[in-house]
Amino acid sequence: MAGRSDPPEGGPGGSSGAGDEEYRSIVFDDSFVSSARLQEYSAEQRLVDHTVAVRDRAPEQPLGIVRTVPKQGLALAMIILLAFAAAIYLGANNPYQSPRSLAAGRPAGSTVALVPDGEVPGDIDVELLYGTGPVREFGVGPGGLELPDPKPTTHFSREQVMTALTLAKEYLTASALNPDVLVGGSRSEVRELLGVEQQDQFDVAMDGEGGPSWATDWLVRFDQDRVEMADPHVRVDGVFTFTEATDDMLEIAGHHVFVYALRSSESMGAPASLFGVRREVRFQFGKEELRDRNVVLRQVDTLAGPMACEADPADAYAPLLAGETASQRLAGGIDPLTAEQDRPVLCAALTPGQLNVT
């Protein structure tokens, strides 16, 4: 016989309390009950209020946005906010600011024409010309532009000094040794080594539009209508020096003599003669110029001859060739193959003998 607490057919599942086993793991806590959308009134509430047994409940209004956002979301938002603030602070106080470019205007320049005393010597045999005097000890082409051992300065590393020296050599190679520049009228290789500001100055000088700088301040070139190269291999002698001018500027100076074998382009088989150009070129480099591989040309002082004093060297040099003489003679003399000398006047006499064939 079934007990008083059990139905006649026994408890669910055939034993007492078997029906509770299915829902034993389900727990209805306070948050679950309070969030229910339906509410069942008690018997007392139904008697007192004469209302239905079940009513809909309006969902509780959130106390604020913080209540609806998970704690993990708040933490992530806080991390992002702090990272953004740190990025702004470090950007405003970054000790490694982008390097400043140097102000690059036109280079200061001077050109002195060296006037020969008498007839310019020459010879058909170019090697004979080169084999006379100190020129025979000169280097040939870019190989004559020897670089010193680069050493770090206070604010520039050894690699940066090496880069500056290399760029200075590239500029002299393009501007004073390239036959396409010397007599061909090309100028792109020189221009590409300059920064944008100096490229504009360079273009003005090359186009003969006047202005404060000459074409021959930027490069060596000859009047191609009357001169051609008897030997494309220029003889070179000289040195580079480097020094740190300021904490953000490195200065490279090139002191070189270039000797060219030239002949007249107007007559076949004309004898060749030598033309000497002594140039002191100063370059400056900041860290931005080193990064972009640009040079800043600051100063170019040139002695060039044999050349007539009345010749205009602004656009191109007009050498006196083999057998020619200058109409104007000058007293005193300057030898472009010697070392340091005081800055000369606009025209000076070329010391005889050093470029002569004896």
Side-chain angles (χ1 to χ4, degrees):
M1 176 180 296
R4 295 182 58 184
S5 61
D6 296 329
E9 64 276 10
S15 63
S16 176
D20 295 336
E21 295 297 333
E22 182 178 355
Y23 305 102
R24 187 176 300 277
S25 61
I26 299 176
V27 178
F28 300 101
D29 56 11
D30 292 339
S31 62
F32 178 83
V33 174
S34 62
S35 63
R37 299 294 302 274
L38 297 177
Q39 180 180 9
E40 182 179 1
Y41 287 101
S42 65
E44 182 179 357
Q45 288 174 321
R46 291 199 300 271
L47 290 174
V48 173
D49 297 335
H50 303 286
T51 185
V52 295
V54 178
R55 70 177 179 94
D56 289 331
R57 295 180 58 189
E60 293 185 7
Q61 295 297 324
L63 297 178
I65 189 170
V66 176
R67 180 109 178 239
T68 64
V69 178
K71 293 181 179 179
Q72 295 88 341
L74 288 174
L76 180 60
M78 184 61 68
I79 291 173
I80 294 174
L81 182 61
L82 290 175
F84 186 69
I88 294 176
Y89 175 80
L90 292 177
N93 298 275
N94 184 11
Y96 303 101
Q97 299 289 341
S98 298
R100 297 180 294 107
S101 60
L102 299 178
R106 66 175 180 86
S110 67
T111 300
V112 177
L114 302 181
V115 182
D117 183 17
E119 186 176 287
V120 176
D123 200 287
I124 297 296
D125 188 350
V126 175
E127 292 302 322
L128 181 60
L129 291 174
Y130 281 143
T132 303
V135 182
R136 63 177 178 269
E137 305 296 334
F138 284 15
V140 180
L145 297 173
E146 296 183 0
L147 297 179
D149 181 27
K151 296 180 181 179
T153 65
T154 304
H155 297 94
F156 291 86
S157 67
R158 182 182 185 278
E159 291 73 19
Q160 289 174 321
V161 173
M162 186 63 191
T163 298
L165 287 168
T166 301
L167 288 170
K169 178 178 179 177
E170 289 179 5
Y171 189 90
L172 291 187
T173 299
S175 65
L177 299 179
N178 186 347
D180 291 337
V181 173
L182 297 173
V183 293
S186 175
R187 58 196 187 191
S188 59
E189 290 186 21
V190 181
R191 187 180 189 275
E192 289 170 359
L193 288 168
L194 300 168
V196 174
E197 184 177 350
Q198 284 206 322
Q199 284 182 352
D200 294 338
Q201 297 281 347
F202 177 84
D203 292 339
V204 170
M206 292 300 110
D207 294 340
E209 298 176 5
S213 66
W214 292 354
T216 50
D217 291 338
W218 301 89
L219 48 77
V220 176
R221 69 177 180 181
F222 303 104
D223 183 355
Q224 58 183 326
D225 292 333
R226 58 181 297 268
V227 173
E228 66 180 20
M229 298 193 70
D231 185 353
H233 305 295
V234 182
R235 300 316 196 252
V236 187
D237 186 49
V239 295
F240 286 102
T241 59
F242 62 89
T243 183
E244 182 175 313
T246 64
D247 58 1
D248 61 351
M249 184 192 305
L250 187 66
E251 183 172 283
I252 305 294
H255 308 266
H256 294 87
V257 176
F258 304 90
V259 179
Y260 306 89
L262 306 174
R263 65 163 56 98
S264 173
S265 60
E266 299 173 347
S267 60
M268 296 292 293
S273 59
L274 299 183
F275 187 84
V277 175
R278 176 172 172 240
R279 284 168 80 85
E280 297 183 9
V281 185
R282 295 189 180 275
F283 305 92
Q284 288 181 347
F285 299 89
K287 290 184 170 60
E288 181 171 324
E289 285 71 28
L290 294 174
R291 182 195 65 194
D292 297 339
R293 298 189 63 82
N294 291 330
V295 306
V296 175
L297 191 63
R298 284 300 187 208
Q299 184 172 345
V300 182
D301 295 320
T302 305
L303 305 177
M307 190 163 54
C309 188
E310 63 270 19
D312 182 6
D315 184 62
Y317 298 128
L320 291 173
L321 301 175
E324 296 180 338
T325 59
S327 59
Q328 181 179 356
R329 304 293 178 85
L330 299 173
I334 292 177
D335 182 1
L337 303 185
T338 59
E340 301 297 328
Q341 301 187 50
D342 293 336
R343 185 165 179 170
V345 295
L346 182 61
C347 290
L350 175 64
T351 300
Q354 297 298 332
L355 295 180
N356 291 357
V357 178
T358 59

